[in-house]
Amino acid sequence: MDGNILLLVLLMTCGISDATAELKSKLLCSQCSKCETNKCPPSEAYPHMTAFDDSLIAAALQSDYFSSEDTSVYSVPDIKGGESEKYNAYYGWESTSGSASGYHRFRNYMDKCSKGQSYLTVDKHGKVKLGSLNSLESLAEADWKSIAPPEKYYHREFRFWLSHSTGKCLTVFRGRGEKRRVGVAECKFDGSNPFQLFAFRFHYHKTFCCCNLHNE
C-alpha cells in the first residue's frame, strides 16, 4: 500500500476511534452515583456561569477540580466535554425567581447527594457557599439581583450579581492557581473590577448530568 494512503487510513481510523470513545465519569460516580433519569435534560435549562476571563464558576460536582464535600464556590478552567482526558464537563445552574422584588436563586443541578445543600448562598461573614434554604438565617442569603454593567460590556452579556443580604457583589478573588475562591465584595458598578462580571453560557455538549450519563 502506498505510504500516503496508509497514513490517511491510520488518521481516519484514529479520528473514528476518538469520535466514538465512550466518556466516563469515575470521579463523579465515586462521589454521587444517584441518577434520577435515563436521559439528560436540555443543557440550556442548566447553563454554565462564567467569569470575565471565561473561567467557570463551579461548586460541588460541577467540576473535577475539587471534591463533593467542599461546599465553597470556585472559579476554575472552563473544560469542554470530551476535550480533556483528565477532566469532564458537567451541568451548571438552574435559575429560579427568589422573590417578587426581582431577585433570583441559583441551584446547582449536579448536587444530587447533598440533602438540599444546592443553592448559591452567602452568609453574614461574606462566605459564598452551597446551602439549603431551610438552613439559612434569612432567605435573602440565597437571593441575587441582576445589575446591568456599563454599556461597553453589553456585547458579552455580562451582569453583576448583587447579594440581597449583604449588599455586595459576587466576586472572583484573584489567585495564582487554577482554582480561585468566589466570594462577595463592594460593588464596582463602573466595571473597574471586571471579576465582578458574570455571564451564562448555554448549549454545552458531551456534558454529564449525573453518573455516567451525558448529553450529545
PDB file of all heavy atoms in Angstrom, residues 87-124:
ATOM      1  N   TYR A  87     -10.301  15.702  32.794  1.00  0.00           N
ATOM      2  CA  TYR A  87     -11.442  16.415  33.357  1.00  0.00           C
ATOM      3  C   TYR A  87     -12.673  16.303  32.466  1.00  0.00           C
ATOM      4  O   TYR A  87     -12.561  16.368  31.236  1.00  0.00           O
ATOM      5  CB  TYR A  87     -11.103  17.894  33.552  1.00  0.00           C
ATOM      6  CG  TYR A  87      -9.943  18.151  34.485  1.00  0.00           C
ATOM      7  CD1 TYR A  87      -8.705  18.532  33.987  1.00  0.00           C
ATOM      8  CD2 TYR A  87     -10.087  18.007  35.865  1.00  0.00           C
ATOM      9  CE1 TYR A  87      -7.632  18.770  34.836  1.00  0.00           C
ATOM     10  CE2 TYR A  87      -9.021  18.240  36.718  1.00  0.00           C
ATOM     11  CZ  TYR A  87      -7.797  18.616  36.200  1.00  0.00           C
ATOM     12  OH  TYR A  87      -6.750  18.847  37.048  1.00  0.00           O
ATOM     13  N   ASN A  88     -13.828  16.176  33.091  1.00  0.00           N
ATOM     14  CA  ASN A  88     -15.097  16.160  32.366  1.00  0.00           C
ATOM     15  C   ASN A  88     -15.818  17.498  32.506  1.00  0.00           C
ATOM     16  O   ASN A  88     -15.433  18.347  33.313  1.00  0.00           O
ATOM     17  CB  ASN A  88     -16.005  15.048  32.907  1.00  0.00           C
ATOM     18  CG  ASN A  88     -15.547  13.676  32.477  1.00  0.00           C
ATOM     19  OD1 ASN A  88     -15.283  13.437  31.306  1.00  0.00           O
ATOM     20  ND2 ASN A  88     -15.440  12.767  33.440  1.00  0.00           N
ATOM     21  N   ALA A  89     -16.872  17.659  31.732  1.00  0.00           N
ATOM     22  CA  ALA A  89     -17.749  18.822  31.841  1.00  0.00           C
ATOM     23  C   ALA A  89     -19.071  18.375  32.456  1.00  0.00           C
ATOM     24  O   ALA A  89     -19.521  17.250  32.220  1.00  0.00           O
ATOM     25  CB  ALA A  89     -17.990  19.445  30.466  1.00  0.00           C
ATOM     26  N   TYR A  90     -19.694  19.271  33.226  1.00  0.00           N
ATOM     27  CA  TYR A  90     -20.917  18.928  33.945  1.00  0.00           C
ATOM     28  C   TYR A  90     -21.975  20.013  33.775  1.00  0.00           C
ATOM     29  O   TYR A  90     -21.667  21.133  33.365  1.00  0.00           O
ATOM     30  CB  TYR A  90     -20.609  18.733  35.438  1.00  0.00           C
ATOM     31  CG  TYR A  90     -19.582  17.654  35.696  1.00  0.00           C
ATOM     32  CD1 TYR A  90     -18.245  17.961  35.894  1.00  0.00           C
ATOM     33  CD2 TYR A  90     -19.962  16.318  35.710  1.00  0.00           C
ATOM     34  CE1 TYR A  90     -17.298  16.960  36.103  1.00  0.00           C
ATOM     35  CE2 TYR A  90     -19.030  15.309  35.920  1.00  0.00           C
ATOM     36  CZ  TYR A  90     -17.702  15.639  36.115  1.00  0.00           C
ATOM     37  OH  TYR A  90     -16.784  14.644  36.308  1.00  0.00           O
ATOM     38  N   TYR A  91     -23.212  19.659  34.099  1.00  0.00           N
ATOM     39  CA  TYR A  91     -24.292  20.633  34.014  1.00  0.00           C
ATOM     40  C   TYR A  91     -24.079  21.757  35.034  1.00  0.00           C
ATOM     41  O   TYR A  91     -23.368  21.591  36.023  1.00  0.00           O
ATOM     42  CB  TYR A  91     -25.634  19.942  34.271  1.00  0.00           C
ATOM     43  CG  TYR A  91     -26.267  19.384  33.012  1.00  0.00           C
ATOM     44  CD1 TYR A  91     -25.523  18.655  32.088  1.00  0.00           C
ATOM     45  CD2 TYR A  91     -27.616  19.591  32.728  1.00  0.00           C
ATOM     46  CE1 TYR A  91     -26.099  18.151  30.934  1.00  0.00           C
ATOM     47  CE2 TYR A  91     -28.204  19.078  31.579  1.00  0.00           C
ATOM     48  CZ  TYR A  91     -27.443  18.351  30.692  1.00  0.00           C
ATOM     49  OH  TYR A  91     -28.024  17.859  29.536  1.00  0.00           O
ATOM     50  N   GLY A  92     -24.729  22.900  34.773  1.00  0.00           N
ATOM     51  CA  GLY A  92     -24.476  24.094  35.562  1.00  0.00           C
ATOM     52  C   GLY A  92     -25.539  24.445  36.579  1.00  0.00           C
ATOM     53  O   GLY A  92     -25.866  23.664  37.469  1.00  0.00           O
ATOM     54  N   TRP A  93     -26.123  25.640  36.424  1.00  0.00           N
ATOM     55  CA  TRP A  93     -27.015  26.218  37.428  1.00  0.00           C
ATOM     56  C   TRP A  93     -28.435  26.407  36.894  1.00  0.00           C
ATOM     57  O   TRP A  93     -28.629  26.850  35.772  1.00  0.00           O
ATOM     58  CB  TRP A  93     -26.489  27.580  37.871  1.00  0.00           C
ATOM     59  CG  TRP A  93     -25.118  27.551  38.446  1.00  0.00           C
ATOM     60  CD1 TRP A  93     -23.933  27.672  37.762  1.00  0.00           C
ATOM     61  CD2 TRP A  93     -24.759  27.382  39.818  1.00  0.00           C
ATOM     62  NE1 TRP A  93     -22.870  27.590  38.633  1.00  0.00           N
ATOM     63  CE2 TRP A  93     -23.346  27.420  39.900  1.00  0.00           C
ATOM     64  CE3 TRP A  93     -25.498  27.219  40.990  1.00  0.00           C
ATOM     65  CZ2 TRP A  93     -22.667  27.284  41.104  1.00  0.00           C
ATOM     66  CZ3 TRP A  93     -24.808  27.094  42.197  1.00  0.00           C
ATOM     67  CH2 TRP A  93     -23.415  27.124  42.241  1.00  0.00           C
ATOM     68  N   GLU A  94     -29.389  26.084  37.720  1.00  0.00           N
ATOM     69  CA  GLU A  94     -30.784  26.381  37.419  1.00  0.00           C
ATOM     70  C   GLU A  94     -31.134  27.706  38.083  1.00  0.00           C
ATOM     71  O   GLU A  94     -30.863  27.906  39.271  1.00  0.00           O
ATOM     72  CB  GLU A  94     -31.693  25.281  37.958  1.00  0.00           C
ATOM     73  CG  GLU A  94     -33.174  25.579  37.758  1.00  0.00           C
ATOM     74  CD  GLU A  94     -34.064  24.560  38.439  1.00  0.00           C
ATOM     75  OE1 GLU A  94     -33.605  23.907  39.395  1.00  0.00           O
ATOM     76  OE2 GLU A  94     -35.219  24.432  38.020  1.00  0.00           O
ATOM     77  N   SER A  95     -31.704  28.624  37.325  1.00  0.00           N
ATOM     78  CA  SER A  95     -32.090  29.927  37.864  1.00  0.00           C
ATOM     79  C   SER A  95     -33.584  29.946  38.128  1.00  0.00           C
ATOM     80  O   SER A  95     -34.388  29.578  37.270  1.00  0.00           O
ATOM     81  CB  SER A  95     -31.718  31.034  36.869  1.00  0.00           C
ATOM     82  OG  SER A  95     -32.190  32.295  37.325  1.00  0.00           O
ATOM     83  N   THR A  96     -33.959  30.346  39.337  1.00  0.00           N
ATOM     84  CA  THR A  96     -35.370  30.456  39.687  1.00  0.00           C
ATOM     85  C   THR A  96     -35.628  31.827  40.299  1.00  0.00           C
ATOM     86  O   THR A  96     -34.722  32.471  40.815  1.00  0.00           O
ATOM     87  CB  THR A  96     -35.788  29.377  40.701  1.00  0.00           C
ATOM     88  OG1 THR A  96     -34.995  29.511  41.889  1.00  0.00           O
ATOM     89  CG2 THR A  96     -35.600  27.994  40.123  1.00  0.00           C
ATOM     90  N   SER A  97     -36.862  32.259  40.244  1.00  0.00           N
ATOM     91  CA  SER A  97     -37.236  33.538  40.840  1.00  0.00           C
ATOM     92  C   SER A  97     -37.298  33.379  42.345  1.00  0.00           C
ATOM     93  O   SER A  97     -38.003  32.513  42.874  1.00  0.00           O
ATOM     94  CB  SER A  97     -38.593  33.986  40.294  1.00  0.00           C
ATOM     95  OG  SER A  97     -39.014  35.177  40.908  1.00  0.00           O
ATOM     96  N   GLY A  98     -36.535  34.205  43.061  1.00  0.00           N
ATOM     97  CA  GLY A  98     -36.471  34.073  44.510  1.00  0.00           C
ATOM     98  C   GLY A  98     -37.517  34.888  45.253  1.00  0.00           C
ATOM     99  O   GLY A  98     -37.923  34.550  46.339  1.00  0.00           O
ATOM    100  N   SER A  99     -37.931  35.993  44.656  1.00  0.00           N
ATOM    101  CA  SER A  99     -38.903  36.838  45.337  1.00  0.00           C
ATOM    102  C   SER A  99     -39.516  37.805  44.343  1.00  0.00           C
ATOM    103  O   SER A  99     -39.047  37.958  43.221  1.00  0.00           O
ATOM    104  CB  SER A  99     -38.229  37.616  46.469  1.00  0.00           C
ATOM    105  OG  SER A  99     -37.316  38.564  45.935  1.00  0.00           O
ATOM    106  N   ALA A 100     -40.569  38.457  44.772  1.00  0.00           N
ATOM    107  CA  ALA A 100     -41.272  39.386  43.883  1.00  0.00           C
ATOM    108  C   ALA A 100     -40.452  40.638  43.600  1.00  0.00           C
ATOM    109  O   ALA A 100     -40.777  41.413  42.707  1.00  0.00           O
ATOM    110  CB  ALA A 100     -42.614  39.772  44.511  1.00  0.00           C
ATOM    111  N   SER A 101     -39.369  40.836  44.350  1.00  0.00           N
ATOM    112  CA  SER A 101     -38.565  42.050  44.185  1.00  0.00           C
ATOM    113  C   SER A 101     -37.551  41.952  43.046  1.00  0.00           C
ATOM    114  O   SER A 101     -36.767  42.871  42.842  1.00  0.00           O
ATOM    115  CB  SER A 101     -37.834  42.360  45.494  1.00  0.00           C
ATOM    116  OG  SER A 101     -36.990  41.284  45.859  1.00  0.00           O
ATOM    117  N   GLY A 102     -37.559  40.839  42.318  1.00  0.00           N
ATOM    118  CA  GLY A 102     -36.665  40.714  41.179  1.00  0.00           C
ATOM    119  C   GLY A 102     -35.377  39.969  41.453  1.00  0.00           C
ATOM    120  O   GLY A 102     -34.496  39.916  40.601  1.00  0.00           O
ATOM    121  N   TYR A 103     -35.247  39.384  42.610  1.00  0.00           N
ATOM    122  CA  TYR A 103     -34.047  38.605  42.919  1.00  0.00           C
ATOM    123  C   TYR A 103     -34.186  37.193  42.365  1.00  0.00           C
ATOM    124  O   TYR A 103     -35.278  36.671  42.174  1.00  0.00           O
ATOM    125  CB  TYR A 103     -33.816  38.559  44.429  1.00  0.00           C
ATOM    126  CG  TYR A 103     -33.293  39.863  44.997  1.00  0.00           C
ATOM    127  CD1 TYR A 103     -34.181  40.869  45.395  1.00  0.00           C
ATOM    128  CD2 TYR A 103     -31.933  40.091  45.112  1.00  0.00           C
ATOM    129  CE1 TYR A 103     -33.703  42.071  45.902  1.00  0.00           C
ATOM    130  CE2 TYR A 103     -31.451  41.295  45.623  1.00  0.00           C
ATOM    131  CZ  TYR A 103     -32.337  42.276  46.009  1.00  0.00           C
ATOM    132  OH  TYR A 103     -31.873  43.463  46.504  1.00  0.00           O
ATOM    133  N   HIS A 104     -33.045  36.567  42.125  1.00  0.00           N
ATOM    134  CA  HIS A 104     -33.000  35.206  41.608  1.00  0.00           C
ATOM    135  C   HIS A 104     -32.293  34.296  42.605  1.00  0.00           C
ATOM    136  O   HIS A 104     -31.506  34.761  43.439  1.00  0.00           O
ATOM    137  CB  HIS A 104     -32.237  35.163  40.280  1.00  0.00           C
ATOM    138  CG  HIS A 104     -32.869  35.946  39.191  1.00  0.00           C
ATOM    139  ND1 HIS A 104     -33.704  35.385  38.250  1.00  0.00           N
ATOM    140  CD2 HIS A 104     -32.792  37.262  38.885  1.00  0.00           C
ATOM    141  CE1 HIS A 104     -34.110  36.327  37.411  1.00  0.00           C
ATOM    142  NE2 HIS A 104     -33.578  37.471  37.782  1.00  0.00           N
ATOM    143  N   ARG A 105     -32.552  33.006  42.467  1.00  0.00           N
ATOM    144  CA  ARG A 105     -31.812  31.991  43.208  1.00  0.00           C
ATOM    145  C   ARG A 105     -31.195  31.028  42.211  1.00  0.00           C
ATOM    146  O   ARG A 105     -31.789  30.725  41.179  1.00  0.00           O
ATOM    147  CB  ARG A 105     -32.733  31.253  44.181  1.00  0.00           C
ATOM    148  CG  ARG A 105     -33.192  32.133  45.323  1.00  0.00           C
ATOM    149  CD  ARG A 105     -34.103  31.411  46.286  1.00  0.00           C
ATOM    150  NE  ARG A 105     -34.620  32.386  47.274  1.00  0.00           N
ATOM    151  CZ  ARG A 105     -35.793  32.279  47.860  1.00  0.00           C
ATOM    152  NH1 ARG A 105     -36.585  31.250  47.605  1.00  0.00           N
ATOM    153  NH2 ARG A 105     -36.196  33.199  48.726  1.00  0.00           N
ATOM    154  N   PHE A 106     -30.010  30.545  42.556  1.00  0.00           N
ATOM    155  CA  PHE A 106     -29.301  29.625  41.677  1.00  0.00           C
ATOM    156  C   PHE A 106     -29.090  28.297  42.386  1.00  0.00           C
ATOM    157  O   PHE A 106     -28.537  28.244  43.486  1.00  0.00           O
ATOM    158  CB  PHE A 106     -27.952  30.221  41.265  1.00  0.00           C
ATOM    159  CG  PHE A 106     -28.082  31.515  40.519  1.00  0.00           C
ATOM    160  CD1 PHE A 106     -27.726  32.717  41.117  1.00  0.00           C
ATOM    161  CD2 PHE A 106     -28.597  31.537  39.232  1.00  0.00           C
ATOM    162  CE1 PHE A 106     -27.859  33.912  40.430  1.00  0.00           C
ATOM    163  CE2 PHE A 106     -28.733  32.727  38.549  1.00  0.00           C
ATOM    164  CZ  PHE A 106     -28.361  33.915  39.137  1.00  0.00           C
ATOM    165  N   ARG A 107     -29.545  27.234  41.727  1.00  0.00           N
ATOM    166  CA  ARG A 107     -29.422  25.887  42.294  1.00  0.00           C
ATOM    167  C   ARG A 107     -28.460  25.063  41.454  1.00  0.00           C
ATOM    168  O   ARG A 107     -28.562  25.024  40.231  1.00  0.00           O
ATOM    169  CB  ARG A 107     -30.798  25.208  42.330  1.00  0.00           C
ATOM    170  CG  ARG A 107     -30.790  23.835  42.999  1.00  0.00           C
ATOM    171  CD  ARG A 107     -32.185  23.232  43.023  1.00  0.00           C
ATOM    172  NE  ARG A 107     -32.632  22.860  41.689  1.00  0.00           N
ATOM    173  CZ  ARG A 107     -32.384  21.690  41.117  1.00  0.00           C
ATOM    174  NH1 ARG A 107     -31.672  20.762  41.755  1.00  0.00           N
ATOM    175  NH2 ARG A 107     -32.831  21.426  39.907  1.00  0.00           N
ATOM    176  N   ASN A 108     -27.543  24.410  42.125  1.00  0.00           N
ATOM    177  CA  ASN A 108     -26.576  23.542  41.463  1.00  0.00           C
ATOM    178  C   ASN A 108     -27.284  22.263  41.009  1.00  0.00           C
ATOM    179  O   ASN A 108     -27.660  21.427  41.822  1.00  0.00           O
ATOM    180  CB  ASN A 108     -25.444  23.219  42.448  1.00  0.00           C
ATOM    181  CG  ASN A 108     -24.441  22.229  41.888  1.00  0.00           C
ATOM    182  OD1 ASN A 108     -24.517  21.819  40.740  1.00  0.00           O
ATOM    183  ND2 ASN A 108     -23.489  21.846  42.723  1.00  0.00           N
ATOM    184  N   TYR A 109     -27.441  22.097  39.698  1.00  0.00           N
ATOM    185  CA  TYR A 109     -28.158  20.928  39.183  1.00  0.00           C
ATOM    186  C   TYR A 109     -27.452  19.624  39.544  1.00  0.00           C
ATOM    187  O   TYR A 109     -28.092  18.603  39.789  1.00  0.00           O
ATOM    188  CB  TYR A 109     -28.290  21.018  37.663  1.00  0.00           C
ATOM    189  CG  TYR A 109     -28.947  19.790  37.068  1.00  0.00           C
ATOM    190  CD1 TYR A 109     -30.337  19.667  37.065  1.00  0.00           C
ATOM    191  CD2 TYR A 109     -28.191  18.750  36.539  1.00  0.00           C
ATOM    192  CE1 TYR A 109     -30.947  18.537  36.548  1.00  0.00           C
ATOM    193  CE2 TYR A 109     -28.789  17.617  36.026  1.00  0.00           C
ATOM    194  CZ  TYR A 109     -30.166  17.507  36.029  1.00  0.00           C
ATOM    195  OH  TYR A 109     -30.771  16.383  35.522  1.00  0.00           O
ATOM    196  N   MET A 110     -26.123  19.629  39.616  1.00  0.00           N
ATOM    197  CA  MET A 110     -25.360  18.400  39.809  1.00  0.00           C
ATOM    198  C   MET A 110     -25.407  17.873  41.234  1.00  0.00           C
ATOM    199  O   MET A 110     -25.145  16.695  41.469  1.00  0.00           O
ATOM    200  CB  MET A 110     -23.891  18.639  39.427  1.00  0.00           C
ATOM    201  CG  MET A 110     -23.657  18.863  37.954  1.00  0.00           C
ATOM    202  SD  MET A 110     -24.245  17.478  36.952  1.00  0.00           S
ATOM    203  CE  MET A 110     -23.251  16.152  37.624  1.00  0.00           C
ATOM    204  N   ASP A 111     -25.696  18.702  42.191  1.00  0.00           N
ATOM    205  CA  ASP A 111     -25.529  18.322  43.589  1.00  0.00           C
ATOM    206  C   ASP A 111     -26.713  17.497  44.083  1.00  0.00           C
ATOM    207  O   ASP A 111     -27.540  17.973  44.858  1.00  0.00           O
ATOM    208  CB  ASP A 111     -25.336  19.580  44.436  1.00  0.00           C
ATOM    209  CG  ASP A 111     -24.552  19.293  45.700  1.00  0.00           C
ATOM    210  OD1 ASP A 111     -24.038  18.175  45.818  1.00  0.00           O
ATOM    211  OD2 ASP A 111     -24.465  20.175  46.550  1.00  0.00           O
ATOM    212  N   LYS A 112     -26.761  16.246  43.653  1.00  0.00           N
ATOM    213  CA  LYS A 112     -27.903  15.388  43.953  1.00  0.00           C
ATOM    214  C   LYS A 112     -27.744  14.612  45.266  1.00  0.00           C
ATOM    215  O   LYS A 112     -28.670  13.961  45.708  1.00  0.00           O
ATOM    216  CB  LYS A 112     -28.104  14.390  42.802  1.00  0.00           C
ATOM    217  CG  LYS A 112     -28.267  15.058  41.440  1.00  0.00           C
ATOM    218  CD  LYS A 112     -28.322  14.024  40.327  1.00  0.00           C
ATOM    219  CE  LYS A 112     -28.328  14.700  38.970  1.00  0.00           C
ATOM    220  NZ  LYS A 112     -29.470  15.602  38.795  1.00  0.00           N
ATOM    221  N   CYS A 113     -26.576  14.660  45.860  1.00  0.00           N
ATOM    222  CA  CYS A 113     -26.310  13.852  47.047  1.00  0.00           C
ATOM    223  C   CYS A 113     -26.035  14.695  48.283  1.00  0.00           C
ATOM    224  O   CYS A 113     -25.407  14.237  49.235  1.00  0.00           O
ATOM    225  CB  CYS A 113     -25.116  12.928  46.783  1.00  0.00           C
ATOM    226  SG  CYS A 113     -25.401  11.728  45.446  1.00  0.00           S
ATOM    227  N   SER A 114     -26.483  15.935  48.285  1.00  0.00           N
ATOM    228  CA  SER A 114     -26.140  16.845  49.380  1.00  0.00           C
ATOM    229  C   SER A 114     -27.294  17.100  50.339  1.00  0.00           C
ATOM    230  O   SER A 114     -27.161  17.919  51.241  1.00  0.00           O
ATOM    231  CB  SER A 114     -25.695  18.192  48.806  1.00  0.00           C
ATOM    232  OG  SER A 114     -26.813  18.861  48.241  1.00  0.00           O
ATOM    233  N   LYS A 115     -28.426  16.438  50.153  1.00  0.00           N
ATOM    234  CA  LYS A 115     -29.607  16.628  51.002  1.00  0.00           C
ATOM    235  C   LYS A 115     -30.078  18.080  51.001  1.00  0.00           C
ATOM    236  O   LYS A 115     -30.407  18.664  52.038  1.00  0.00           O
ATOM    237  CB  LYS A 115     -29.318  16.154  52.424  1.00  0.00           C
ATOM    238  CG  LYS A 115     -28.976  14.672  52.508  1.00  0.00           C
ATOM    239  CD  LYS A 115     -28.695  14.233  53.925  1.00  0.00           C
ATOM    240  CE  LYS A 115     -28.346  12.753  53.971  1.00  0.00           C
ATOM    241  NZ  LYS A 115     -28.041  12.280  55.344  1.00  0.00           N
ATOM    242  N   GLY A 116     -30.077  18.668  49.829  1.00  0.00           N
ATOM    243  CA  GLY A 116     -30.647  20.006  49.679  1.00  0.00           C
ATOM    244  C   GLY A 116     -29.668  21.155  49.746  1.00  0.00           C
ATOM    245  O   GLY A 116     -30.056  22.306  49.542  1.00  0.00           O
ATOM    246  N   GLN A 117     -28.393  20.877  50.034  1.00  0.00           N
ATOM    247  CA  GLN A 117     -27.391  21.949  50.078  1.00  0.00           C
ATOM    248  C   GLN A 117     -26.927  22.285  48.658  1.00  0.00           C
ATOM    249  O   GLN A 117     -25.802  22.009  48.273  1.00  0.00           O
ATOM    250  CB  GLN A 117     -26.198  21.536  50.945  1.00  0.00           C
ATOM    251  CG  GLN A 117     -26.513  21.477  52.417  1.00  0.00           C
ATOM    252  CD  GLN A 117     -25.273  21.128  53.220  1.00  0.00           C
ATOM    253  OE1 GLN A 117     -24.849  19.988  53.273  1.00  0.00           O
ATOM    254  NE2 GLN A 117     -24.692  22.127  53.857  1.00  0.00           N
ATOM    255  N   SER A 118     -27.818  22.885  47.898  1.00  0.00           N
ATOM    256  CA  SER A 118     -27.520  23.074  46.482  1.00  0.00           C
ATOM    257  C   SER A 118     -27.693  24.509  45.989  1.00  0.00           C
ATOM    258  O   SER A 118     -27.493  24.779  44.808  1.00  0.00           O
ATOM    259  CB  SER A 118     -28.402  22.143  45.639  1.00  0.00           C
ATOM    260  OG  SER A 118     -29.769  22.362  45.914  1.00  0.00           O
ATOM    261  N   TYR A 119     -28.050  25.432  46.875  1.00  0.00           N
ATOM    262  CA  TYR A 119     -28.286  26.818  46.459  1.00  0.00           C
ATOM    263  C   TYR A 119     -27.044  27.688  46.672  1.00  0.00           C
ATOM    264  O   TYR A 119     -26.307  27.515  47.648  1.00  0.00           O
ATOM    265  CB  TYR A 119     -29.468  27.414  47.210  1.00  0.00           C
ATOM    266  CG  TYR A 119     -30.796  26.910  46.710  1.00  0.00           C
ATOM    267  CD1 TYR A 119     -31.355  25.738  47.221  1.00  0.00           C
ATOM    268  CD2 TYR A 119     -31.489  27.583  45.707  1.00  0.00           C
ATOM    269  CE1 TYR A 119     -32.567  25.257  46.751  1.00  0.00           C
ATOM    270  CE2 TYR A 119     -32.709  27.107  45.231  1.00  0.00           C
ATOM    271  CZ  TYR A 119     -33.228  25.949  45.749  1.00  0.00           C
ATOM    272  OH  TYR A 119     -34.429  25.465  45.277  1.00  0.00           O
ATOM    273  N   LEU A 120     -26.837  28.608  45.750  1.00  0.00           N
ATOM    274  CA  LEU A 120     -25.741  29.576  45.868  1.00  0.00           C
ATOM    275  C   LEU A 120     -26.127  30.599  46.931  1.00  0.00           C
ATOM    276  O   LEU A 120     -27.072  31.363  46.762  1.00  0.00           O
ATOM    277  CB  LEU A 120     -25.522  30.258  44.520  1.00  0.00           C
ATOM    278  CG  LEU A 120     -24.375  31.275  44.444  1.00  0.00           C
ATOM    279  CD1 LEU A 120     -23.025  30.571  44.578  1.00  0.00           C
ATOM    280  CD2 LEU A 120     -24.433  32.052  43.141  1.00  0.00           C
ATOM    281  N   THR A 121     -25.386  30.608  48.044  1.00  0.00           N
ATOM    282  CA  THR A 121     -25.740  31.472  49.173  1.00  0.00           C
ATOM    283  C   THR A 121     -24.514  32.251  49.658  1.00  0.00           C
ATOM    284  O   THR A 121     -23.366  31.923  49.326  1.00  0.00           O
ATOM    285  CB  THR A 121     -26.284  30.650  50.364  1.00  0.00           C
ATOM    286  OG1 THR A 121     -25.211  29.901  50.960  1.00  0.00           O
ATOM    287  CG2 THR A 121     -27.372  29.699  49.925  1.00  0.00           C
ATOM    288  N   VAL A 122     -24.760  33.252  50.477  1.00  0.00           N
ATOM    289  CA  VAL A 122     -23.678  33.974  51.147  1.00  0.00           C
ATOM    290  C   VAL A 122     -24.112  34.237  52.580  1.00  0.00           C
ATOM    291  O   VAL A 122     -25.234  34.689  52.829  1.00  0.00           O
ATOM    292  CB  VAL A 122     -23.327  35.286  50.403  1.00  0.00           C
ATOM    293  CG1 VAL A 122     -24.530  36.203  50.280  1.00  0.00           C
ATOM    294  CG2 VAL A 122     -22.177  36.012  51.097  1.00  0.00           C
ATOM    295  N   ASP A 123     -23.233  33.944  53.538  1.00  0.00           N
ATOM    296  CA  ASP A 123     -23.607  34.141  54.939  1.00  0.00           C
ATOM    297  C   ASP A 123     -23.234  35.546  55.420  1.00  0.00           C
ATOM    298  O   ASP A 123     -22.687  36.355  54.653  1.00  0.00           O
ATOM    299  CB  ASP A 123     -22.988  33.054  55.836  1.00  0.00           C
ATOM    300  CG  ASP A 123     -21.466  33.095  55.886  1.00  0.00           C
ATOM    301  OD1 ASP A 123     -20.877  34.153  55.562  1.00  0.00           O
ATOM    302  OD2 ASP A 123     -20.860  32.072  56.261  1.00  0.00           O
ATOM    303  N   LYS A 124     -23.485  35.829  56.695  1.00  0.00           N
ATOM    304  CA  LYS A 124     -23.265  37.178  57.219  1.00  0.00           C
ATOM    305  C   LYS A 124     -21.785  37.553  57.274  1.00  0.00           C
ATOM    306  O   LYS A 124     -21.434  38.716  57.438  1.00  0.00           O
ATOM    307  CB  LYS A 124     -23.881  37.293  58.613  1.00  0.00           C
ATOM    308  CG  LYS A 124     -23.307  36.336  59.639  1.00  0.00           C
ATOM    309  CD  LYS A 124     -24.055  36.467  60.957  1.00  0.00           C
ATOM    310  CE  LYS A 124     -23.525  35.493  61.996  1.00  0.00           C
ATOM    311  NZ  LYS A 124     -24.291  35.585  63.273  1.00  0.00           N
TER     312      LYS A 124
END
